[in-house]
Amino acid sequence: MAKILSKIKFPRIHQIKLTNFSLYSSSPVISIKIPDGVFCLTGANGLGKSTLLSAIHFGLTGIVPHSGEKFLSVEEYYSDNLDFSRNFFNGRITEDDHDLADISLSITIGNFKYELTRGMFEPKELRYLKIEDSLEKENIFDSESSKMSPEMVHNEYVKNIVLHTGLESFSQMVFLYSFIFTFDERRHLLFWDQKVCEQALHLAFGIDPAEAQRADLLRREMERAGSLARNANWDATQVRNQINDLKRNINETLKGEDPRDIRQKYDKLIEEEENKDREVERIELEVKDAMLKLSELSAKEANLRVSYNDEFNNKLKKQYRLKLHPLIVSSRNDGKCGLCGSTGEKSVKEILDLENATSCPICKSVIAETKEDPKIIEKLKKTDEDLVKTRKESEMVLKTIARLNSELDKAKAEANKAREKINEFENANKKALSDLNKKRSSGEDIDAVLEKYRLQMEEYLEKKRKYYEKRDEKQKALNRVQKELEKQYFSAEGSFVPLFKDLAFEFLGLDLDVKLALKGSGINLTLEVKGKARRQYHQLSESQRFFVDIALRMALAQYISDSDSKASLFIDTPEGSLDVAYESRAGDMFAKFIMKGFDILMTANINSSRMIRTLAEKCGKKKMEICRMTSWAELSEVQVAEEKLFEQVYAEIEKALNSKGK
Amino acid sequence: MVVPQAFYDCLAICGRLEKSVGNVAHGEFHLFAYLACLLSLYRKKLAADWGYGFSGTREGAPYSMDINTAIDYLILLGLIEEKENYFTLTDKGREEYASLLQFLTHQEREEFIDGACSSSLVLPMGLIREALYQEPELRHVKKLKSSRILLDELQVSLIHEHFAALSNAIGIEVKDLIVPSVVWLKYLFQTREVESHPDEFTSQH
């Protein structure tokens, strides 16, 4: 008899605040209230919609999902992704804002209210954290009164999140948000990634999250044991080859005193050095790029200065009036010609007439009075803005170069250290080899050397056997957990599968089915359309795959969530290349999920997609809010020129939102 | 060709000094433009970004060819007028100043021009002139008895040392440049009799 699964409580996000987030250059502080239902962030291409979802993800977990990171285990995914996440906002946030930029979130998990602030480059630190129990009216934690370091505050957050969600570890929360509740530009699909799917199933249908963690560990241990067994086998083969070589060329020089140890140690040192060198190369490339950028900006600034000077002088030229010339002024005041000294009424009259002259009395150039041309001012203003902007960009790049140079010095020192280690090792190895050769040339202990190799080979073979035993043992343990999961799944199938079928039908209009498949390598979910398994990629169109996978995530979210604290989905521009009928159906599917009391934070391009309009019609203003990003960052010239088109689309969405209930 | 920054600075200096001391002598345009430029260095800006350069005359006074040209143009355009070797803004000059203030390039200079000219509200003009002539570069030029280009790389590093000591002496990050401007001028004035080293500044503060 399967045990009853305890549900998991998930954070509900109520408020987001971004400070000094330079990507959104027009708005240094962005504060957003997240309503119930759909929060849809819209904006033209390139404004940073996806980055906002990444920032929220980072605020919540300290991690930004990384498409290049291969999933090995829940724990490793979290720890291996920290460096990527730490650097993710480089380039999106300027040097000036590097230490200032942060994200604040206000979330609730059941009756626990969290307020937290995380620096955009601090995945394992929190600048602020306050946790309250709103039921007991009790203050659980407040970083301001705790005097803890930001790392300790983060640890406090992790501890409480695990406690309040009911998960076994914070890594599980990272996993769930990275792979189940987020559908982003990675376009990662659960149905077609067995390892990820299996872990998701353990978390969703296992007896408790500790079992999921156990399965995760067992799988990794099993894989490691298999890998170590293969290594030991390889080592044994190497030693066997050594013995054969030694036998064949008994009089030749022995290569290496202890082939396995030397090879492993030496390879490790070489790998270390290569890693350090790669780091130096990476930073050098970054410096080179920054220098190139600086020279481009300097050239641009110099050109702009010349233009500014020309335009400024052009402006002054238009202001020139002959009557203001000091010579005319003094001639008029003194009543005599300032050039030749002639006096008298006639001379003075001639000079006064000159005041209205339209050409220069000396070179005859036209100097007709003209009013200041607003176009000249406009042009000057534009050049002026570009000039100041370019100079600021240069200052920023200079700061980046200074930072990179300091990083480069450190990286070079580390690379030198790694090289020294190799030299030391090579020297030490030479000595060992020389000792062995001495023994061999004096005819001493050849049999002993051979015996030593034989023993070593046996040792490796024994290791191989033990590792395979260990692998099989872990495999058996994993199979037991998987069997248990299978039982749990079967008991849950009756309530879970309809959730999925319902959503998927809404989208595809076909009767889909999902089944658990236990294979030698693990557990997976298979999809059946009209009774035929569609495990292979090519059997569904790309866009169909996206939405069927989203349906699976929604079903999992519904199944796994505690009714008091439901999971929210993060969906980044999902439309793909659906035709208009499927777009509309995708909107229906999302609406269905929302009507069950779940939330979606999504982004969408401003286009003629039916999906958003259908969703708006179904949800209405009570359950959907459109947030326009246009005021956050500068629009491109094309976007400014086509603003009317955006307005039309917004008007259509607005109309759809208002149509609910009419 | 007029250098826009020099043109703007002259208008801005004339408008401010007119309010504090009534009018502006020709040399005072150069003096306050130079002081403003030094204050921009105090804010860690580059001398090359000031827009125009200065040289030191044999007498140890700051002088800029571009300021000179700008003054000529201002007269020619009726933006400033001269009476007995002193200048004031005309109404048209005031309008032009307001109009030029809309450009960011000029707005950025306001802080420095203001910091320099505001010192004339609290210090007599003679003291300001005397003090600035004690500025390490100008004092050096005076000793050489020949004119020199000011603010080259070596000299700028010397000025930065001076300012670092000044910044330490003031102690806090100041929003308004009038504080370092007046403190520095007073210090320079005190050292006018002493022909020795700028290190004294550190020891005195």
Side-chain angles (χ1 to χ4, degrees):
Chain A
M1 178 77 187
K3 293 177 193 171
I4 295 188
L5 172 79
S6 55
K7 301 282 181 180
I8 299 167
K9 289 181 194 289
F10 290 102
R12 187 174 180 284
I13 302 170
H14 300 280
Q15 178 115 22
I16 301 158
K17 190 174 150 198
L18 290 163
T19 309
N20 289 84
F21 202 87
S22 350
L23 182 68
Y24 308 132
S25 53
S26 307
S27 191
V29 176
I30 288 172
S31 186
I32 311 164
K33 275 196 172 167
I34 305 293
D36 286 346
V38 182
F39 173 78
C40 181
L41 184 71
T42 60
N45 291 335
L47 287 186
K49 297 189 293 293
S50 306
T51 306
L52 181 77
L53 287 190
S54 301
I56 300 171
H57 203 289
F58 182 75
L60 199 60
T61 62
I63 288 293
V64 176
H66 180 13
S67 54
E69 196 62 53
K70 197 179 163 197
F71 179 78
L72 296 170
S73 71
V74 169
E75 293 302 324
E76 281 163 294
Y77 180 78
Y78 178 43
S79 57
D80 294 349
N81 219 351
L82 285 166
D83 277 346
F84 169 78
S85 306
R86 186 176 287 110
N87 293 316
F88 179 79
F89 295 97
N90 263 330
R92 290 170 172 89
I93 287 168
T94 62
E95 286 296 319
D96 271 355
D97 289 331
H98 189 278
D99 298 334
L100 302 173
D102 58 35
I103 180 164
S104 300
L105 298 176
S106 176
I107 59 175
T108 48
I109 303 173
N111 51 303
F112 297 101
K113 191 178 164 199
Y114 284 63
E115 279 176 16
L116 60 114
T117 301
R118 187 189 296 280
M120 299 314 296
F121 299 90
E122 294 153 12
K124 292 199 90 175
E125 290 169 36
L126 280 182
R127 292 180 181 180
Y128 174 71
L129 175 67
K130 191 174 181 184
I131 308 171
E132 286 172 338
D133 182 343
S134 55
L135 204 64
E136 302 293 327
K137 306 272 181 230
E138 186 191 349
N139 197 358
I140 293 176
F141 181 80
D142 187 346
S143 60
E144 282 185 349
S145 54
S146 76
K147 311 259 184 229
M148 282 184 181
S149 69
E151 290 90 346
M152 289 161 80
V153 176
H154 172 85
N155 293 341
E156 206 55 40
Y157 173 67
V158 166
K159 191 180 86 188
N160 281 284
I161 284 281
V162 170
L163 188 69
H164 296 153
T165 53
L167 286 164
E168 186 64 18
S169 70
F170 191 69
S171 307
Q172 286 184 339
M173 160 119 158
V174 172
F175 170 83
L176 283 167
Y177 275 88
S178 297
F179 289 103
I180 316 294
F181 302 145
T182 298
F183 182 79
D184 58 14
E185 47 199 7
R186 291 172 296 164
R187 300 303 193 231
H188 176 266
L189 301 176
L190 273 183
F191 265 122
W192 286 270
D193 185 331
Q194 195 236 313
K195 272 190 187 174
V196 172
C197 190
E198 182 177 332
Q199 189 52 219
L201 292 171
H202 276 294
L203 275 168
F205 303 105
I207 302 159
D208 65 36
E211 278 298 283
Q213 195 179 34
R214 195 167 159 243
D216 189 38
L217 284 175
L218 283 171
R219 168 167 292 285
R220 270 312 274 154
E221 281 172 1
M222 186 185 90
E223 286 171 352
R224 277 200 200 107
S227 167
L228 287 170
R230 285 190 295 279
N231 283 349
N233 192 38
W234 188 88
D235 287 336
T237 309
Q238 289 300 106
V239 179
R240 190 183 292 118
N241 291 342
Q242 288 272 1
I243 293 168
N244 291 341
D245 285 348
L246 197 62
K247 280 179 179 170
R248 263 200 306 273
N249 301 305
I250 199 80
N251 292 322
E252 285 185 14
T253 307
L254 255 179
K255 306 284 183 199
E257 177 199 18
D258 187 338
R260 177 191 157 273
D261 282 349
I262 288 172
R263 182 183 66 81
Q264 279 187 349
K265 282 179 192 165
Y266 194 66
D267 284 354
K268 201 167 176 237
L269 287 173
I270 295 283
E271 196 187 327
E272 242 176 64
E273 192 216 6
E274 283 172 349
N275 283 342
K276 301 289 178 196
D277 281 345
R278 267 197 292 275
E279 181 64 4
V280 169
E281 272 170 32
R282 182 190 69 76
I283 302 173
E284 278 175 341
L285 275 179
E286 275 192 43
V287 171
K288 214 171 152 187
D289 286 349
M291 294 297 281
L292 188 66
K293 177 88 183 153
L294 184 64
S295 63
E296 278 170 11
L297 287 169
S298 301
K300 190 177 168 191
E301 194 182 330
N303 284 335
L304 284 167
R305 266 185 203 282
V306 171
S307 304
Y308 189 79
N309 285 1
D310 289 348
E311 285 158 21
F312 192 88
N313 278 276
N314 194 19
K315 171 188 173 313
L316 294 187
K317 212 168 133 190
K318 298 279 179 193
Q319 287 173 278
Y320 181 73
R321 308 284 181 271
L322 193 61
K323 67 180 176 190
L324 296 170
H325 193 283
L327 194 64
I328 305 287
V329 174
S330 68
S331 300
R332 188 178 53 211
N333 292 345
D334 300 341
K336 66 174 181 184
C337 176
L339 204 61
C340 68
S342 302
T343 51
E345 210 173 301
K346 191 171 174 281
S347 304
V348 173
K349 189 180 175 303
E350 286 289 334
I351 292 162
L352 288 176
D353 284 347
L354 272 181
E355 290 185 358
N356 297 319
T358 54
S359 63
C360 171
I362 298 174
C363 74
K364 307 298 178 200
S365 301
V366 177
I367 50 166
E369 288 193 14
T370 48
K371 282 190 178 173
E372 204 168 60
D373 186 355
K375 278 185 189 162
I376 293 180
I377 297 289
E378 211 44 54
K379 200 172 168 197
L380 189 59
K381 215 169 169 180
K382 175 82 179 55
T383 312
D384 170 57
E385 282 168 6
D386 287 348
L387 185 60
V388 171
K389 195 176 162 196
T390 310
R391 200 165 55 242
K392 285 192 172 154
E393 277 176 33
S394 300
E395 284 171 4
M396 212 76 86
V397 176
L398 274 171
K399 280 186 187 171
T400 305
I401 291 172
R403 174 176 61 81
L404 287 172
N405 278 331
S406 132
E407 284 177 12
L408 186 61
D409 287 345
K410 275 185 204 157
K412 278 182 176 170
E414 280 183 22
N416 282 337
K417 254 189 214 167
R419 266 189 288 281
E420 277 168 24
K421 272 189 193 171
I422 289 176
N423 288 340
E424 280 168 20
F425 182 83
E426 279 173 347
N427 288 336
N429 192 40
K430 266 181 206 163
K431 191 173 175 293
L433 184 63
S434 147
D435 287 348
L436 196 66
N437 283 342
K438 268 182 205 165
K439 278 185 183 176
R440 191 192 55 77
S441 60
S442 63
E444 183 191 346
D445 283 345
I446 287 296
D447 288 340
V449 171
L450 277 171
E451 182 56 21
K452 188 179 150 196
Y453 280 158
R454 263 195 296 275
L455 287 172
Q456 205 169 46
M457 187 176 73
E458 274 168 23
E459 195 184 312
Y460 286 138
L461 290 171
E462 178 60 16
K463 265 187 190 173
K464 176 183 123 179
R465 195 186 55 76
K466 277 187 177 163
Y467 282 133
Y468 276 135
E469 253 180 39
K470 189 177 174 189
R471 185 198 62 178
D472 295 343
E473 184 190 312
K474 297 290 173 189
Q475 172 84 63
K476 274 182 197 161
L478 183 63
N479 286 348
R480 279 196 295 276
V481 178
Q482 285 170 338
K483 272 279 167 213
E484 198 56 47
L485 175 66
E486 212 180 352
K487 273 192 227 162
Q488 287 296 127
Y489 182 80
F490 285 127
S491 76
E493 205 174 15
S495 46
F496 167 70
V497 174
L499 293 173
F500 170 74
K501 286 177 82 162
D502 205 19
L503 288 163
F505 185 82
E506 200 71 50
F507 168 61
L508 268 185
L510 289 174
D511 198 14
L512 295 191
D513 199 1
V514 62
K515 286 184 178 164
L516 193 76
L518 189 57
K519 294 185 292 180
S521 56
I523 261 180
N524 202 3
L525 279 180
T526 58
L527 185 67
E528 287 188 3
V529 184
K530 291 179 183 168
K532 288 181 185 166
R534 291 210 170 192
R535 255 165 296 185
Q536 299 303 315
Y537 256 119
H538 60 269
Q539 289 173 313
L540 284 174
S541 84
E542 187 185 50
S543 301
Q544 280 178 323
R545 284 202 300 270
F546 292 171
F547 282 89
V548 167
D549 216 73
I550 291 174
L552 175 64
R553 291 151 197 262
M554 287 176 171
L556 284 170
Q558 287 180 50
Y559 187 79
I560 198 173
S561 296
D562 184 289
S563 59
D564 286 343
S565 213
K566 295 173 176 173
S568 308
L569 254 57
F570 293 60
I571 300 180
D572 189 9
T573 50
E575 305 98 295
S577 53
L578 289 177
D579 62 39
V580 68
Y582 280 112
E583 277 181 356
S584 180
R585 298 190 74 108
D588 287 335
M589 180 176 87
F590 283 6
K592 196 152 210 166
F593 182 65
I594 294 299
M595 294 311 155
K596 289 186 175 170
F598 287 83
D599 297 331
I600 299 178
L601 273 80
M602 69 185 293
T603 65
N605 286 323
I606 313 172
N607 57 25
S608 54
S609 164
R610 275 293 310 167
M611 192 186 79
I612 299 297
R613 270 185 290 157
T614 306
L615 188 55
E617 279 163 13
K618 288 275 163 91
C619 291
K621 286 206 156 176
K622 274 190 183 168
K623 281 283 181 187
M624 181 167 181
E625 189 177 309
I626 299 284
C627 175
R628 295 167 63 158
M629 271 187 92
T630 35
S631 58
W632 293 12
E634 282 178 35
L635 295 178
S636 73
E637 281 178 21
V638 173
Q639 288 160 351
V640 172
E642 302 302 334
E643 230 174 328
K644 268 189 186 169
L645 290 176
F646 293 149
E647 287 305 326
Q648 277 174 17
V649 178
Y650 278 128
E652 283 169 18
I653 298 171
E654 192 64 25
K655 201 173 145 193
L657 278 172
N658 287 321
S659 70
K660 164 96 175 172
K662 277 188 183 172
Chain B
M1 281 283 268
V2 177
V3 174
Q5 291 90 335
F7 187 87
Y8 175 80
D9 290 355
C10 287
L11 274 178
I13 289 168
C14 195
R16 281 180 171 78
L17 291 188
E18 206 179 80
K19 281 182 196 156
S20 58
V21 292
N23 48 29
V24 192
H26 200 282
E28 286 162 3
F29 280 109
H30 298 269
L31 191 75
F32 282 91
Y34 184 59
L35 180 55
C37 175
L38 292 178
L39 290 176
S40 81
L41 300 184
Y42 182 79
R43 280 281 195 251
K44 310 254 175 2
K45 301 276 176 191
L46 299 174
D49 282 344
W50 183 246
Y52 55 91
F54 293 90
S55 54
T57 65
R58 285 164 176 271
E59 293 75 29
Y63 176 83
S64 167
M65 191 66 165
D66 295 320
I67 289 283
N68 222 33
T69 311
I71 294 170
D72 288 347
Y73 265 79
L74 289 167
I75 298 168
L76 199 62
L77 296 175
L79 301 177
I80 60 173
E81 60 189 5
E82 184 186 355
K83 263 184 204 164
E84 294 167 358
N85 296 328
Y86 284 95
F87 296 88
T88 50
L89 280 185
T90 62
D91 287 344
K92 209 175 145 201
R94 262 180 271 280
E95 278 171 28
E96 180 69 11
Y97 171 65
S99 154
L100 292 181
L101 202 51
Q102 67 183 302
F103 298 109
L104 298 172
T105 304
H106 302 144
Q107 285 168 22
E108 284 183 337
R109 310 177 75 77
E110 280 287 288
E111 180 191 13
F112 311 118
I113 301 281
D114 200 50
C117 294
S118 299
S119 61
S120 68
L121 292 168
V122 281
L123 300 174
M125 191 60 83
L127 185 146
I128 295 171
R129 190 183 302 110
E130 276 301 306
L132 202 57
Y133 286 7
Q134 298 305 315
E135 180 268 327
E137 269 205 83
L138 288 172
R139 194 161 55 173
H140 179 65
V141 171
K142 197 177 175 185
K143 268 188 201 165
L144 295 173
K145 291 193 169 50
S146 65
S147 59
R148 282 281 191 283
I149 298 291
L150 300 178
L151 302 175
D152 70 12
E153 205 177 323
L154 180 72
Q155 292 160 339
V156 169
S157 67
L158 192 65
I159 288 172
H160 276 305
E161 276 177 31
H162 236 226
F163 282 158
L166 176 64
S167 187
N168 284 340
I170 295 170
I172 47 162
E173 180 69 22
V174 283
K175 205 179 166 194
D176 196 334
L177 281 172
I178 188 174
V179 179
S181 174
V182 169
V183 172
W184 191 51
L185 286 169
K186 277 186 175 175
Y187 157 73
L188 288 173
F189 187 72
Q190 283 164 17
T191 61
R192 74 195 187 284
E193 297 301 326
V194 189
E195 290 291 327
S196 53
H197 313 286
D199 308 1
E200 295 157 14
F201 182 81
T202 327
S203 57
Q204 286 191 10
H205 290 75

